[in-house]
């Protein structure tokens, strides 16, 4: 069964993201400002979350349509069979993004969609999910243009650039997916020498090592951290098979021509700490 997905990314990396979606099995890939859309099955969605170095998060399109008022937003939300998607025992949060929307208050729109979801659950099951704005299990996204509203369900959970490799951080760190995109835009390829003379906390070095080892970035996440793992249609057998295939593909190396330096001794120490935390301290000089 084919579904519609939208993956977000840093501006300027849309074409690279489109390549990632194609590599994961996405069909009808179309780049848009700030991301790319595609169609695919759940194996495709799992692969994008597991393999893409460029995506920030992957959203599953649930529905949408024309709107003129907050009541229309409520209606669009209420018409979705939420109980088929996840349990009312899950905590939720609604996020709203708007471009040229005629509606005045994003906070009120957020409340209306949340009410629609909870009312539909209460009508179908007699129960409703709780809201958790700090660490929700289910993230629902609403995107508004001047006339169209689209509702998405987040399959990623925390942003995909959070690889889990950094124990020591610095002020204003570079996001991992932006670093991976810059390396690809610069034309660097695994096997070539790489020097980062302003290595900071080592983001470029860590991404380069992952690329050289063909180490899928999603493998570093703990079980249950992806949003799709909390959905009713989650297929744990398929997910384990994809994880196993990615792990078996990982290359081994004793040394790489990857070098880092920094005018700050503290930055060098933090980079070394992060490389050790990722288990690749012997591969970078």
């Amino acid at each position: 069964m084919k579904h519609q997905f939208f993956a977000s990314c840093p501006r300027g990396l849309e074409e690279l993201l489109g390549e990632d979606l194609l590599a994961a099995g996405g069909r009808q890939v179309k780049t848009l400002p700030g991301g790319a859309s595609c169609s695919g099955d759940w194996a495709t969605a799992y692969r994008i979350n597991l393999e893409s170095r460029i995506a920030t998060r992957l959203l599953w399109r649930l529905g949408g349509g024309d709107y003129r008022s907050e009541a229309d937003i409520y209606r669009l939300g209420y018409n979705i069979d939420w109980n088929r998607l996840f349990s009312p025992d899950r905590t939720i949060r609604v996020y709203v993004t708007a471009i040229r929307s005629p509606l005045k208050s994003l906070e009120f729109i957020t409340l209306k969609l949340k009410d629609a979801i909870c009312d539909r659950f209460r009508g179908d099951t007699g129960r409703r999910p709780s809201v958790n704005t700090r660490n929700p299990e289910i993230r629902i996204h609403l995107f508004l243009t001047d006339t169209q509203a689209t509702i998405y369900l987040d399959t990623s959970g925390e942003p995909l650039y959070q690889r889990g490799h950094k124990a020591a951080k610095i002020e204003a760190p570079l996001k991992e997916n932006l670093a991976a995109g810059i390396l690809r835009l610069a034309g660097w390829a695994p096997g070539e020498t790489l020097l980062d003379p302003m290595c900071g906390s080592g983001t470029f070095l860590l991404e380069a090592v992952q690329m050289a080892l063909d180490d899928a970035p999603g493998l570093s996440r703990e079980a249950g951290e992806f949003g799709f793992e909390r959905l009713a249609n989650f297929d744990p057998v398929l997910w384990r098979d994809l994880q196993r295939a990615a792990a078996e593909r990982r290359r081994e190396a004793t040394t790489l021509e990857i070098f880092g330096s920094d005018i700050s001794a503290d930055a060098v120490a933090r980079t070394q700490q992060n490389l050790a935390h990722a288990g690749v301290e012997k591969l970078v000089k």
Side-chain angles (χ1 to χ4, degrees):
M1 185 175 184
K2 298 298 181 183
H3 304 276
Q4 298 298 317
F5 299 100
F6 176 79
S8 59
C9 72
R11 292 296 179 103
L13 302 184
E14 293 89 348
E15 293 297 329
L16 297 179
L17 176 59
E19 295 173 5
D20 282 5
L21 301 190
L22 283 170
R27 298 288 184 266
Q28 298 172 305
V29 175
K30 181 181 179 182
T31 57
L32 303 161
S37 64
C38 73
S39 63
D41 55 18
W42 278 103
T44 298
Y46 293 175
R47 287 193 200 97
I48 293 169
N49 278 288
L50 178 64
E51 305 274 0
S52 177
R53 302 188 191 280
I54 306 300
T56 299
R57 59 178 68 252
L58 181 69
L59 305 178
W60 174 26
R61 187 184 187 279
L62 301 180
D66 295 334
Y67 79 98
R68 297 181 63 184
S69 67
E70 290 85 354
D72 293 327
I73 301 300
Y74 180 94
R75 172 181 52 79
L76 290 170
Y78 191 87
N79 286 341
I80 294 172
D81 185 359
W82 297 99
N83 188 51
R84 180 179 58 85
L85 304 177
F86 60 90
S87 167
D89 295 327
R90 299 290 189 181
T91 59
I92 66 169
R93 181 179 176 181
V94 174
Y95 302 80
V96 179
T97 304
I99 299 176
R100 301 184 305 275
S101 173
L103 304 184
K104 302 301 181 184
S105 172
L106 294 186
E107 290 78 8
F108 187 55
I109 299 168
T110 302
L111 180 63
K112 293 299 288 185
L113 181 54
K114 185 269 295 180
D115 286 346
I117 297 167
C118 292
D119 289 349
R120 178 63 189 263
F121 262 114
R122 188 182 290 111
D124 290 345
T125 70
R127 296 184 296 153
R128 51 153 287 178
S130 298
V131 174
N132 184 334
T133 59
R134 294 178 60 87
N135 188 29
E137 294 176 292
I138 302 292
R139 291 169 165 87
I140 298 111
H141 294 256
L142 171 65
F143 179 71
L144 301 174
T145 66
D146 54 345
T147 61
Q148 288 284 312
T150 310
I151 300 173
Y152 299 92
L153 214 165
D154 188 347
T155 74
S156 300
E158 295 299 325
L160 296 175
Y161 58 74
Q162 295 183 5
R163 317 281 204 227
H165 290 154
K166 286 184 179 178
K169 299 180 181 180
I170 60 171
E171 187 177 352
L174 182 68
K175 288 183 172 59
E176 286 78 353
N177 59 342
L178 180 56
I182 290 173
L183 286 172
R184 282 166 62 175
L185 288 175
W188 180 80
E192 298 177 346
T193 301
L194 177 71
L195 165 64
D196 181 359
M198 299 175 286
C199 63
S201 60
T203 307
F204 277 117
L205 305 178
L206 285 162
E207 289 300 306
V209 169
Q210 276 198 310
M211 293 166 70
L213 299 179
D214 198 9
D215 193 4
L219 282 176
S220 59
R221 287 201 172 187
E222 298 292 334
E225 289 190 5
F226 285 101
F228 60 74
E229 294 179 85
R230 303 158 193 162
L231 301 181
N233 66 357
F234 175 52
D235 186 341
V237 175
L238 172 61
W239 176 231
R240 284 195 297 270
D241 287 345
L242 293 173
Q243 288 178 301
R244 186 181 303 111
E248 292 174 351
R249 193 186 66 225
R250 188 179 189 272
R251 305 186 188 104
E252 296 297 328
T254 56
T255 185
L256 296 170
E257 291 299 302
I258 297 177
F259 304 86
S261 64
D262 200 287
I263 195 172
S264 166
D266 180 66
V268 171
R270 288 171 186 267
T271 292
Q272 291 172 327
Q273 183 179 349
N274 287 332
L275 291 168
H277 182 70
V280 296
E281 68 275 17
K282 296 181 180 179
L283 300 181
V284 179
K285 302 176 183 64

